[in-house]
Amino acid sequence: MLCAPLALFGLFYASAVTGLAIQKRAVDFFDPAQGGGSIFDNATFGGEPLNVIISGQSSPDVLTDDGILNYAQAIGFSKECLGLHLGTPQTANLGDGNGSLNQTIEFRQDFGNDFLGTCFESLLGGNHFRVWRQNGPSANSGALFLAVSKEQDASANHDLVDDGYNIGRNELVAAAVGTKSHGGVTYNTVAKNITGLMPAGSDGVNHGIAVDGVITLLTVTIQDS
Ligand SMILES: *[C@@H]1O[C@H](CO)[C@@H](O)[C@H](O)[C@H]1NC(C)=O
Ligand SMILES: *[C@@H]1O[C@H](CO)[C@@H](O)[C@H](O)[C@H]1NC(C)=O
Ligand SMILES: *[C@@H]1O[C@H](CO)[C@@H](O)[C@H](O)[C@H]1NC(C)=O
Ligand SMILES: *[C@@H]1O[C@H](CO)[C@@H](O)[C@H](O)[C@H]1NC(C)=O
């Protein structure tokens, strides 16, 4: 487990002193609560947990809009079906000085077809996630914070499955770890769990679905070809 935020700031200063190149960031992420933000976003009926973080120490190309799209495709997600968006965007404050922002992008499980697969997801239910980037002036880690959840099919009006946050996180992580390729890019992903930043339970959580309080940190490295 990380001793945030001191260990994170320590890493940051250590690398500033040694003058490491800035191609790769020096911190995994900053705890949003330290900057007045929250590890929960704002949804219709409470907050959804930001239960997966893609480390700021990942390869920089993974952390861009195009990069996260290709990575999402490598692990079985793609942009929403035909660009249609069901439901209103959610907002989150990552405590980086940018305040509360709409999600950057939303990905749905694609069932093996980048362009049409997400349509099946909308009908059949499945896993999806929303993304926010921590790059504001006061906590510029570059990390991506993901709100991952698993839904039932459309007949259930996109309600989450029981335990949909924990299951969604675990399924995404299981699909991501190890070596995955897409669009000519090969990724190596390592997972690590973090406790102590997110309270467990259902207090204030969207739909009253309890979370186990575990955040999984993914560090994604692009392999040299
Ligand atoms: C957004 O979520 C945070 C953290 O859960 C909460 O403190 C805040 O009141 C929420 N804001 C709105 C407008 O719901
Ligand atoms: C967030 O999304 C809502 C709904 O689409 C939109 O009305 C609002 O302007 C957006 N806010 C920002 C800051 O982009
Ligand atoms: C967040 O802050 C950074 C640095 O000030 C800025 O470049 C970026 O555009 C901001 N992001 C959004 C979505 O406003
Ligand atoms: C993280 O925690 C979840 C839930 O307890 C567990 O299923 C998973 O195996 C853990 N992953 C790692 C990398 O420790």
Short mmCIF file of all heavy atoms in Angstrom, two decimals, residues 81 86 108 111 118-127 150-161:
data_model
loop_
_atom_site.label_atom_id
_atom_site.label_comp_id
_atom_site.label_asym_id
_atom_site.label_seq_id
_atom_site.Cartn_x
_atom_site.Cartn_y
_atom_site.Cartn_z
N CYS A 81 -21.02 3.04 -28.83
CA CYS A 81 -21.69 2.60 -30.05
C CYS A 81 -22.05 3.78 -30.95
O CYS A 81 -22.84 4.63 -30.57
CB CYS A 81 -22.94 1.83 -29.66
SG CYS A 81 -23.99 1.36 -31.01
N LEU A 86 -25.48 7.36 -24.18
CA LEU A 86 -26.67 7.16 -23.36
C LEU A 86 -26.39 7.72 -21.98
O LEU A 86 -25.45 7.31 -21.32
CB LEU A 86 -26.99 5.66 -23.26
CG LEU A 86 -27.28 4.98 -24.59
CD1 LEU A 86 -27.27 3.47 -24.41
CD2 LEU A 86 -28.63 5.44 -25.12
N ARG A 108 -16.88 1.46 -23.70
CA ARG A 108 -17.70 0.29 -23.40
C ARG A 108 -17.05 -0.96 -23.96
O ARG A 108 -16.34 -0.90 -24.96
CB ARG A 108 -19.10 0.46 -24.00
CG ARG A 108 -19.86 1.55 -23.33
CD ARG A 108 -21.24 1.77 -23.86
NE ARG A 108 -21.89 2.74 -23.00
CZ ARG A 108 -22.53 2.43 -21.88
NH1 ARG A 108 -22.65 1.18 -21.52
NH2 ARG A 108 -23.05 3.37 -21.14
N PHE A 111 -16.89 -6.54 -27.18
CA PHE A 111 -17.21 -7.90 -27.61
C PHE A 111 -16.53 -8.27 -28.92
O PHE A 111 -17.10 -8.91 -29.79
CB PHE A 111 -18.73 -8.12 -27.70
CG PHE A 111 -19.41 -8.06 -26.37
CD1 PHE A 111 -20.10 -6.92 -25.98
CD2 PHE A 111 -19.34 -9.14 -25.49
CE1 PHE A 111 -20.71 -6.85 -24.73
CE2 PHE A 111 -19.95 -9.07 -24.24
CZ PHE A 111 -20.63 -7.93 -23.86
N THR A 118 -19.68 -2.26 -29.43
CA THR A 118 -20.26 -1.52 -28.32
C THR A 118 -21.77 -1.43 -28.43
O THR A 118 -22.46 -1.21 -27.45
CB THR A 118 -19.67 -0.10 -28.22
OG1 THR A 118 -19.77 0.50 -29.50
CG2 THR A 118 -18.24 -0.14 -27.76
N CYS A 119 -22.31 -1.58 -29.67
CA CYS A 119 -23.77 -1.60 -29.81
C CYS A 119 -24.33 -2.82 -29.10
O CYS A 119 -25.38 -2.76 -28.47
CB CYS A 119 -24.17 -1.64 -31.28
SG CYS A 119 -23.54 -0.26 -32.23
N PHE A 120 -23.61 -3.95 -29.21
CA PHE A 120 -24.05 -5.14 -28.51
C PHE A 120 -23.99 -4.91 -27.01
O PHE A 120 -24.85 -5.34 -26.26
CB PHE A 120 -23.20 -6.36 -28.89
CG PHE A 120 -23.36 -6.74 -30.33
CD1 PHE A 120 -22.27 -6.81 -31.16
CD2 PHE A 120 -24.61 -7.03 -30.84
CE1 PHE A 120 -22.41 -7.15 -32.49
CE2 PHE A 120 -24.76 -7.37 -32.17
CZ PHE A 120 -23.66 -7.43 -33.00
N GLU A 121 -22.94 -4.20 -26.59
CA GLU A 121 -22.82 -3.94 -25.15
C GLU A 121 -24.03 -3.17 -24.67
O GLU A 121 -24.59 -3.46 -23.62
CB GLU A 121 -21.54 -3.16 -24.84
CG GLU A 121 -21.17 -3.15 -23.37
CD GLU A 121 -21.87 -2.10 -22.55
OE1 GLU A 121 -22.55 -1.21 -23.09
OE2 GLU A 121 -21.74 -2.16 -21.33
N SER A 122 -24.47 -2.17 -25.48
CA SER A 122 -25.61 -1.36 -25.07
C SER A 122 -26.86 -2.22 -24.93
O SER A 122 -27.72 -1.97 -24.11
CB SER A 122 -25.85 -0.24 -26.07
OG SER A 122 -24.77 0.65 -26.05
N LEU A 123 -26.97 -3.25 -25.78
CA LEU A 123 -28.13 -4.13 -25.73
C LEU A 123 -27.98 -5.21 -24.67
O LEU A 123 -28.94 -5.59 -24.02
CB LEU A 123 -28.34 -4.81 -27.09
CG LEU A 123 -28.71 -3.86 -28.22
CD1 LEU A 123 -28.71 -4.61 -29.54
CD2 LEU A 123 -30.09 -3.26 -27.96
N LEU A 124 -26.77 -5.72 -24.54
CA LEU A 124 -26.57 -6.91 -23.71
C LEU A 124 -26.06 -6.60 -22.31
O LEU A 124 -26.01 -7.46 -21.46
CB LEU A 124 -25.56 -7.85 -24.39
CG LEU A 124 -25.95 -8.38 -25.77
CD1 LEU A 124 -24.79 -9.16 -26.37
CD2 LEU A 124 -27.19 -9.27 -25.66
N GLY A 125 -25.66 -5.38 -22.10
CA GLY A 125 -25.01 -5.08 -20.82
C GLY A 125 -23.54 -5.40 -20.94
O GLY A 125 -23.08 -5.98 -21.91
N GLY A 126 -22.78 -5.00 -19.96
CA GLY A 126 -21.35 -5.26 -20.02
C GLY A 126 -20.59 -4.25 -19.22
O GLY A 126 -21.17 -3.47 -18.46
N ASN A 127 -19.30 -4.27 -19.44
CA ASN A 127 -18.44 -3.43 -18.63
C ASN A 127 -18.21 -2.09 -19.32
O ASN A 127 -18.16 -2.02 -20.54
CB ASN A 127 -17.09 -4.16 -18.45
CG ASN A 127 -16.46 -3.86 -17.11
OD1 ASN A 127 -16.99 -3.07 -16.33
ND2 ASN A 127 -15.34 -4.49 -16.84
N LYS A 150 -20.02 -2.40 -14.07
CA LYS A 150 -20.62 -3.40 -14.95
C LYS A 150 -22.14 -3.26 -14.91
O LYS A 150 -22.75 -3.23 -13.85
CB LYS A 150 -20.22 -4.80 -14.50
CG LYS A 150 -20.81 -5.86 -15.39
CD LYS A 150 -19.98 -7.10 -15.45
CE LYS A 150 -20.65 -8.06 -16.39
NZ LYS A 150 -19.78 -9.12 -16.81
N GLU A 151 -22.74 -3.18 -16.12
CA GLU A 151 -24.18 -2.94 -16.24
C GLU A 151 -24.93 -4.19 -16.66
O GLU A 151 -24.38 -5.08 -17.30
CB GLU A 151 -24.45 -1.88 -17.31
CG GLU A 151 -24.05 -0.49 -16.93
CD GLU A 151 -24.19 0.47 -18.10
OE1 GLU A 151 -24.16 0.01 -19.26
OE2 GLU A 151 -24.31 1.67 -17.85
N GLN A 152 -26.23 -4.19 -16.37
CA GLN A 152 -27.12 -5.21 -16.94
C GLN A 152 -27.49 -4.80 -18.36
O GLN A 152 -27.08 -3.76 -18.84
CB GLN A 152 -28.38 -5.33 -16.08
CG GLN A 152 -28.10 -5.87 -14.71
CD GLN A 152 -29.32 -5.81 -13.81
OE1 GLN A 152 -30.30 -5.15 -14.13
NE2 GLN A 152 -29.23 -6.48 -12.68
N ASP A 153 -28.31 -5.61 -19.05
CA ASP A 153 -28.66 -5.29 -20.43
C ASP A 153 -29.65 -4.12 -20.51
O ASP A 153 -30.14 -3.63 -19.50
CB ASP A 153 -29.19 -6.52 -21.16
CG ASP A 153 -30.49 -7.02 -20.56
OD1 ASP A 153 -31.21 -6.23 -19.94
OD2 ASP A 153 -30.76 -8.22 -20.71
N ALA A 154 -29.96 -3.70 -21.74
CA ALA A 154 -30.77 -2.51 -21.96
C ALA A 154 -32.17 -2.65 -21.39
O ALA A 154 -32.78 -1.66 -20.99
CB ALA A 154 -30.84 -2.19 -23.45
N SER A 155 -32.69 -3.87 -21.35
CA SER A 155 -34.04 -4.05 -20.81
C SER A 155 -34.09 -3.68 -19.34
O SER A 155 -35.13 -3.33 -18.81
CB SER A 155 -34.50 -5.50 -20.99
OG SER A 155 -33.68 -6.37 -20.24
N ALA A 156 -32.94 -3.74 -18.68
CA ALA A 156 -32.88 -3.34 -17.27
C ALA A 156 -32.48 -1.86 -17.17
O ALA A 156 -32.15 -1.39 -16.09
CB ALA A 156 -31.89 -4.21 -16.52
N ASN A 157 -32.54 -1.15 -18.34
CA ASN A 157 -32.29 0.28 -18.35
C ASN A 157 -30.91 0.64 -17.81
O ASN A 157 -30.75 1.62 -17.08
CB ASN A 157 -33.38 1.01 -17.55
CG ASN A 157 -33.49 2.47 -17.96
OD1 ASN A 157 -32.99 2.85 -19.02
ND2 ASN A 157 -34.11 3.28 -17.13
N HIS A 158 -29.92 -0.15 -18.18
CA HIS A 158 -28.53 0.13 -17.81
C HIS A 158 -28.32 0.24 -16.31
O HIS A 158 -27.51 1.02 -15.84
CB HIS A 158 -28.02 1.40 -18.51
CG HIS A 158 -27.71 1.16 -19.95
ND1 HIS A 158 -26.47 0.82 -20.40
CD2 HIS A 158 -28.51 1.17 -21.02
CE1 HIS A 158 -26.51 0.63 -21.70
NE2 HIS A 158 -27.75 0.84 -22.10
N ASP A 159 -29.06 -0.55 -15.55
CA ASP A 159 -28.76 -0.60 -14.14
C ASP A 159 -27.50 -1.42 -13.93
O ASP A 159 -27.19 -2.30 -14.73
CB ASP A 159 -29.92 -1.24 -13.36
CG ASP A 159 -31.07 -0.26 -13.19
OD1 ASP A 159 -30.81 0.96 -13.30
OD2 ASP A 159 -32.19 -0.71 -12.97
N LEU A 160 -26.81 -1.13 -12.88
CA LEU A 160 -25.61 -1.90 -12.59
C LEU A 160 -25.98 -3.27 -12.06
O LEU A 160 -27.02 -3.45 -11.45
CB LEU A 160 -24.77 -1.17 -11.52
CG LEU A 160 -24.23 0.19 -11.91
CD1 LEU A 160 -23.31 0.71 -10.83
CD2 LEU A 160 -23.49 0.12 -13.23
N VAL A 161 -25.11 -4.24 -12.31
CA VAL A 161 -25.31 -5.54 -11.69
C VAL A 161 -24.98 -5.40 -10.20
O VAL A 161 -24.30 -4.46 -9.79
CB VAL A 161 -24.43 -6.64 -12.33
CG1 VAL A 161 -24.78 -6.80 -13.81
CG2 VAL A 161 -22.95 -6.34 -12.17
#
